[in-house]
Amino acid sequence: MQHRLKRALLALMILAVALAQPASALEFLFGGGPTNAPAASQIEDDGMLRVYLKSLGDPEALGLTLAGSYTVEGDRGFRFARDTEIALAADNGSVLLSVGGLTIDMGDSLTLTRHATDGENGIYIHESEKNTLFEGDLTISESGGTLRPVLNIQIEDYLSGVVAYEMSDSFPLEALKAQAVAARTYAMGKKWSSAGRDYDVVDTTADQVFKGLDARYTNVIEAVEETRGIVGTYKGGFAMCYYAASNGGQTALATDIWGSSGDYGYLSMVDDPYDLENPSSLVNSLTFSKAGKGSSTLWEMLGDALDGLNLPEKDVKLESIVSIEPAEPKYAGSRMYTKLRFTLSASAEATGWGPQEGDATSPMFTGDANLSGDMLASVSGLSLARRGKLGLPYVEKSGREALSENPVVELGVYDDIKDGLSLGLNGSDHELVSVVQDGDMFTIEMRRFGHGVGMSQRGAQWMAGEYEKDYTEILKFYYPGMALEKIEWREAALTALADLPASLGRARPRPTPTPTPAPLPALEDGEYYATVELESRASSLNVRQEPSTTARIVASLDHGRRVIVSSDAGDGWAKIRTAELTGYVKLEYLKAA
């Protein structure tokens, strides 16, 4: 009841805000509907999303805590108490479920179905990165000796586990709301194109990072709730709302980055001053002097490039950097320059004759006199000049002299600059490059963390925090050709356990209650495998908490059961372990295997 009231109040708030907007803002927000009320979207969807938990890798086993109300595939007779811990393992094409000392072969898959209950209602996955709640139904199937987990979750619950990690709970609320809309739209677009797969999105950066619900992230939860159902559309379908951490000061086109021929008319390449102003936007830089002080590696690169010019002068040497200019953009209008053009000052070995420096004698000939080598070599000319009799200002050159023209060399941005100087921010070549000169110092900067298409998360943060832009303005800037519409999800209410029928008439047999041991873990130092050997196959071997016949019995093992012997506990006892338990048994009933 409280939840329905909260949603009703929220709807009224959204309507009030919408009515207060000018017509242009309202048309953008709700896709051009009537100006007196939000237009209802024609899109119909159940609001559920299948998330392949790829971040778990290819696990052979998983540990779960069922923090809610769960059954196996809605079977009232196969239900679990709250906070039940279970283990799942892949074994010879089957999924083994272990709980309370019992291991059951569930066939090639099972689904843990969620039911209505009070309080938190989801699953904690022990192998996941965070201690977070995965709300929804979890299907586990066996695939090539590993487990394949797919979570079926309501999209608004999914977003609480996305926005918190694609941005941060500390971001301004309007930036988080823009992220929620972009992430919701992206997920719906992927869902509507996922035919033939058993999932819609993965939980990694291949789609969107999803790590489950952390109830402490209250700003994220508020942002998701206040934009509930709002998606971006373009030409009647979902826009593909790409986004990245930082665009470096300019948005990129999807067709440039991925070479796609799709229709991305809702995107454009524009300068982004908000991303550029944000001090949190990542930048890698290198500062050095005109004489190369600050980067010997760059100086060597320029020297090699200068040698490659094969100038006619002898022994050409790099003296200083005159100027640096980005050149040859990768795409029209883009600042993804592919080269840096360096104008250099260089010197060469001095040859021939030249003006004498520091001559105090009045010269017979001016410095620009046209004196041939023959004249200077004559007895009446050169010999007198060498004796200083004529005050001739020309002498044979020695040492080095500057080249008459400054040579120009180019270095590749993505090979020489990015890789050679370790200035890159991405594995792919998406960075923007710029050069700043301050007196005798140069700084090369590389920006753009991510592909740069669509919304910049750092730009959105700055727009909301410093310029007080709301989420519709943020989205309008980054997706100028996109409209916003609101979907009313046809949510199916969870069924309470008490409302389940006594028998569902399953399409497959009930799981057998016959215990099937889970695979034994790997041996540690000093351990060995053993088999339980009993005189009667109908009897069992007690496993005790301590090495004593008076200690509590924690489990029992059948004849032929394989175990790991961890150590000799003395007095005829051995410490053993399996995948489910650890305890002590009499050593006489074990045979090394």
Side-chain angles (χ1 to χ4, degrees):
M1 181 67 182
Q2 291 179 346
H3 181 64
R4 289 197 298 271
L5 179 60
K6 180 178 179 182
R7 289 188 58 188
L9 290 172
L10 176 64
L12 289 173
M13 291 172 61
I14 293 176
L15 177 58
V17 171
L19 291 174
Q21 302 298 316
S24 59
L26 190 67
E27 289 172 3
F28 170 66
L29 180 58
F30 295 105
T35 56
N36 61 346
S41 172
Q42 299 302 309
I43 300 171
E44 292 187 2
D45 191 88
D46 62 3
M48 300 301 294
L49 194 70
R50 299 169 302 166
V51 185
Y52 172 27
L53 304 181
K54 194 173 182 179
S55 65
L56 297 175
D58 297 312
E60 296 180 1
L62 290 172
L64 311 176
T65 299
L66 305 181
S69 180
Y70 277 86
T71 66
V72 172
E73 294 157 13
D75 183 353
R76 184 175 179 177
F78 205 147
R79 62 184 181 272
F80 302 94
R82 176 180 288 275
D83 296 330
T84 295
E85 295 198 4
I86 67 175
L88 302 171
D91 182 52
N92 295 324
S94 293
V95 178
L96 303 181
L97 184 153
S98 298
V99 56
L102 185 69
T103 299
I104 304 171
D105 187 337
M106 301 298 297
D108 60 4
S109 69
L110 80 153
T111 298
L112 296 168
T113 305
R114 189 170 67 141
H115 298 277
T117 188
D118 294 330
E120 69 175 1
N121 196 7
I123 298 172
Y124 288 96
I125 302 176
H126 302 170
E127 290 75 15
S128 62
E129 180 184 347
K130 305 284 186 178
N131 184 32
T132 50
L133 190 69
F134 291 79
E135 302 173 290
D137 300 343
L138 182 63
T139 296
I140 304 288
S141 56
E142 195 279 342
S143 176
T146 63
L147 299 177
R148 181 182 177 86
V150 177
L151 182 71
N152 193 34
I153 184 173
Q154 211 284 328
I155 192 167
E156 303 299 336
D157 294 335
Y158 162 78
L159 290 173
S160 294
V162 170
V163 177
Y165 302 101
E166 285 290 357
M167 277 191 175
S168 165
D169 194 61
S170 64
F171 272 43
L173 181 62
E174 293 301 315
L176 293 172
K177 289 161 72 173
Q179 178 67 72
V181 174
R184 184 184 293 110
T185 305
Y186 179 90
M188 289 302 300
K190 294 291 286 189
K191 176 181 179 177
W192 280 35
S193 62
S194 64
R197 293 201 310 251
D198 65 342
Y199 68 93
D200 303 313
V201 293
V202 299
D203 65 340
T204 68
T205 54
D207 281 319
Q208 300 181 129
V209 173
F210 168 74
K211 296 184 181 181
L213 172 67
D214 189 328
R216 297 173 299 176
Y217 295 152
T218 55
N219 290 332
V220 166
I221 294 170
E222 181 181 356
V224 171
E225 185 62 26
E226 289 190 7
T227 61
R228 190 177 188 86
I230 297 177
V231 296
T233 61
Y234 176 69
K235 292 186 177 180
F238 292 108
M240 190 56 69
C241 284
Y242 298 111
Y243 54 87
S246 169
N247 60 34
Q250 184 185 55
T251 60
L253 296 178
T255 49
D256 287 345
I257 298 299
W258 297 298
S260 171
S261 59
D263 185 354
Y264 297 103
Y266 52 92
L267 298 172
S268 63
M269 182 189 296
V270 296
D271 288 342
D272 184 356
Y274 309 107
D275 183 287
L276 202 59
E277 289 178 20
N278 192 338
S280 297
S281 296
L282 291 181
V283 55
N284 282 347
S285 62
L286 176 67
T287 299
F288 50 91
S289 70
K290 286 187 173 182
K293 186 176 181 180
S295 180
S296 58
T297 301
L298 175 62
W299 197 253
E300 290 176 8
M301 288 181 181
L302 294 174
D304 291 342
L306 185 60
D307 291 341
L309 295 179
N310 295 318
L311 298 174
E313 291 82 358
K314 294 181 180 180
D315 189 22
V316 176
K317 178 184 176 182
L318 173 62
E319 297 293 344
S320 68
I321 302 168
V322 177
S323 64
I324 310 174
E325 178 186 10
E328 298 186 25
K330 197 170 185 178
Y331 307 106
S334 172
R335 292 205 295 275
M336 294 174 62
Y337 295 104
T338 60
K339 295 187 177 182
L340 285 186
R341 188 169 293 150
F342 293 78
T343 300
L344 307 175
S345 172
S347 65
E349 179 184 337
T351 59
W353 292 81
Q356 177 180 338
E357 295 182 4
D359 188 354
T361 306
S362 298
M364 180 178 291
F365 304 102
T366 60
D368 59 356
N370 186 14
L371 304 176
S372 68
D374 291 340
M375 180 178 178
L376 290 173
S378 68
V379 173
S380 59
L382 180 58
S383 61
L384 291 174
R386 286 175 175 172
R387 294 198 300 272
K389 298 299 183 180
L390 300 179
L392 189 66
Y394 281 81
V395 296
E396 187 175 7
K397 292 181 181 179
S398 63
R400 307 187 64 80
E401 63 180 355
L403 299 187
S404 58
E405 293 185 5
N406 290 328
V408 177
V409 300
E410 292 179 340
L411 295 181
V413 167
Y414 297 110
D415 295 326
D416 302 318
I417 303 300
K418 174 182 175 176
D419 297 336
L421 301 178
S422 300
L423 292 182
L425 294 121
N426 307 291
S428 300
D429 294 335
H430 298 150
E431 293 90 346
L432 306 182
V433 66
S434 60
V435 180
V436 178
Q437 183 175 359
D438 183 9
D440 288 341
M441 303 300 293
F442 292 99
T443 298
I444 298 176
E445 296 179 339
M446 296 201 80
R447 300 174 181 269
R448 183 176 283 170
F449 188 48
H451 47 67
V453 179
M455 185 175 70
S456 161
Q457 293 166 321
R458 290 301 181 184
Q461 177 190 24
W462 204 247
M463 289 180 76
E466 297 298 316
Y467 290 88
E468 299 182 349
K469 304 287 187 181
D470 67 26
Y471 79 97
T472 64
E473 293 174 297
I474 295 171
L475 293 170
K476 183 68 173 177
F477 178 79
Y478 289 112
Y479 311 101
M482 182 179 79
L484 295 185
E485 299 188 46
K486 189 176 189 334
I487 302 175
E488 294 292 344
W489 306 116
R490 294 184 289 104
E491 296 180 42
L494 296 178
T495 304
L497 285 174
D499 296 334
L500 291 173
S503 175
L504 297 180
R506 274 174 302 279
R508 69 175 187 174
R510 282 184 185 273
T512 173
T514 302
T516 302
L520 291 175
L523 293 176
E524 297 180 0
D525 291 344
E527 293 184 334
Y528 63 94
Y529 294 114
T531 303
V532 175
E533 291 284 343
L534 303 173
E535 293 183 1
S536 171
R537 293 179 179 270
S539 60
S540 60
L541 176 63
N542 290 329
V543 181
R544 298 185 180 271
Q545 194 172 34
E546 301 293 338
S548 169
T549 55
T550 61
R552 184 171 70 88
I553 298 174
V554 296
S556 60
L557 303 175
D558 295 331
H559 173 83
R561 178 70 179 272
R562 295 183 75 237
V563 299
I564 292 174
V565 179
S566 298
S567 63
D568 186 337
D571 294 330
W573 289 88
K575 184 177 182 180
I576 62 99
R577 65 185 181 98
T578 67
E580 303 92 74
L581 61 89
T582 299
Y584 296 86
V585 299
K586 295 295 288 185
L587 189 57
E588 61 187 283
Y589 299 112
L590 299 179
K591 180 179 179 181

